[in-house]
């Protein structure tokens, strides 16, 4: 059952990237797409939190946590992702996104003097070798102009990694996962609402309506399933989500967008996957991020 939940989470995230690609191709801007995505997530997660008796608390430390964790772990990464999806394949976005566990581990090592054993250290090296395999070879990317956009896409997992460390270090006393999720999503919805109202047109393009609503539903169910996964398993197990996302994103890109990843991209994805696996299963400090 736990493996199925892990696969479901990876597939839902990959679907979000694919649907985001369709929406941006239909002319939906990142802020608009993110607002409707988070609206759907709130409509699914907030009632679930109420049903479980875990409504968000409005204490100062909780509100600060919701806001900062949401900016680093949701709003920032998704805005970057939806921006770069205009310029690079969705499968490649998914591969880059899978770097989050490796970057989390690297931050812990640098800032908090974590200790790396041989396996986790090698995993970190392999992960970044995978990125170089995608970025550096001349024929790796479909177009040389994509280099800068792939590099920019790396800012998304970096923000996620910073958010991972912050969530662990700043988790409010007695905070419950579903409560924190509902508070995080609601805070980001409240922040995005005035921005959306001022900057975006009244209605979505007709051709993108179904796609955007699908993203909202997929995102909401991802949060519910991911918290059940966290409840049933360990951070080590959840950390393996990265290479599920990479593989699912590449396959969805091939099947639905006729994307043709080069051998360098496949090799890079494989190196990243192995790196994530070794770091996630390491017993060193930071290996459970």
């Amino acid at each position: 059952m736990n493996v199925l939940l892990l696969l479901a989470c990876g597939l839902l995230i990959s679907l979000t990237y694919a649907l985001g690609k369709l929406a941006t191709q239909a002319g939906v801007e990142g802020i608009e797409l993110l607002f409707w995505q988070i609206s759907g997530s709130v409509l699914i997660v907030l009632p679930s939190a109420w049903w479980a008796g875990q409504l968000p608390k409005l204490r100062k430390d909780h509100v600060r946590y919701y806001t900062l964790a949401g900016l680093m772990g949701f709003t920032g990464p998704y805005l970057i992702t939806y921006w770069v999806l205009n310029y690079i394949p969705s499968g490649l976005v998914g591969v880059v996104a899978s770097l989050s566990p490796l970057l989390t581990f690297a931050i812990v090592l640098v800032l908090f003097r974590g200790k790396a054993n041989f396996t986790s250290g090698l995993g970190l090296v392999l992960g970044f070798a995978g990125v170089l395999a995608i970025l550096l070879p001349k024929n790796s990317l479909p177009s040389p102009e994509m280099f800068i956009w792939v590099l920019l896409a790396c800012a998304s997992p970096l923000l996620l990694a910073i958010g991972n460390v912050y969530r662990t270090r700043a988790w409010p006393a007695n905070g419950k996962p579903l409560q924190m999720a509902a508070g995080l999503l609601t805070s980001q919805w409240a922040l995005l609402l005035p921005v959306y109202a001022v900057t975006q047109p009244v209605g979505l393009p007709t051709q993108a309506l179904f796609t955007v609503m699908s993203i909202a539903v997929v995102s909401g169910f991802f949060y519910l399933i991911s918290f059940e996964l966290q409840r049933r398993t360990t951070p080590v197990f959840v950390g393996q989500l990265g290479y599920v996302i990479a593989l699912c994103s590449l396959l969805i890109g091939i099947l639905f967008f006729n994307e043709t990843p080069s051998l360098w991209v496949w090799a890079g994805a494989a190196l990243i996957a192995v790196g994530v696996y070794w770091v996630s299963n390491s017993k060193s400090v930071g290996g459970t991020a």
Side-chain angles (χ1 to χ4, degrees), residues 23-198:
T24 55
Q25 288 177 340
V28 182
E29 295 184 15
I31 285 286
E32 187 174 18
L33 183 53
L34 184 60
F35 174 77
W36 288 109
Q37 176 183 352
I38 203 167
S39 296
S41 299
V42 168
L43 287 175
I44 292 173
V45 174
L46 192 58
S48 301
W50 171 80
W51 181 262
Q54 296 185 28
L55 282 174
K57 295 181 180 179
L58 298 180
R59 286 168 27 189
K60 184 178 179 180
D61 59 331
H62 281 242
V63 173
R64 181 175 61 248
Y65 177 88
Y66 302 150
T67 304
L68 293 178
L71 287 171
M72 292 183 287
F74 187 94
T75 301
Y78 269 115
L79 281 177
I80 294 170
T81 296
Y82 291 146
W83 184 19
V84 300
L85 275 171
N86 287 295
Y87 305 99
I88 61 177
S90 63
L92 196 51
V93 169
V95 171
V96 171
S98 69
L99 286 169
S100 177
L102 298 176
L103 292 171
T104 303
F105 180 53
I107 290 171
V108 171
L109 285 177
V110 173
L111 296 184
F112 302 104
R113 298 182 180 179
K115 296 179 181 179
N117 58 27
F118 176 79
T119 301
S120 61
L122 183 58
L124 197 60
V125 170
L126 287 175
F128 288 107
V131 176
L132 295 178
I134 292 171
L135 287 175
L136 297 185
K138 183 177 181 181
N139 298 321
S140 174
L141 301 174
S143 167
E145 289 77 18
M146 289 186 183
F147 176 89
I148 188 65
W149 296 108
V150 176
L151 202 58
L152 180 59
C154 292
S156 177
L158 178 59
L159 269 180
L160 283 171
I162 295 171
N164 287 342
V165 175
Y166 174 79
R167 284 199 304 273
T168 300
R169 299 267 166 174
W171 189 274
N174 301 318
K176 299 177 180 178
L178 192 55
Q179 178 188 70
M180 295 296 107
L184 182 155
L185 292 168
T186 304
S187 73
Q188 299 310 293
W189 183 86
L191 287 174
L192 284 172
L193 178 60
V195 178
Y196 173 76
V198 170

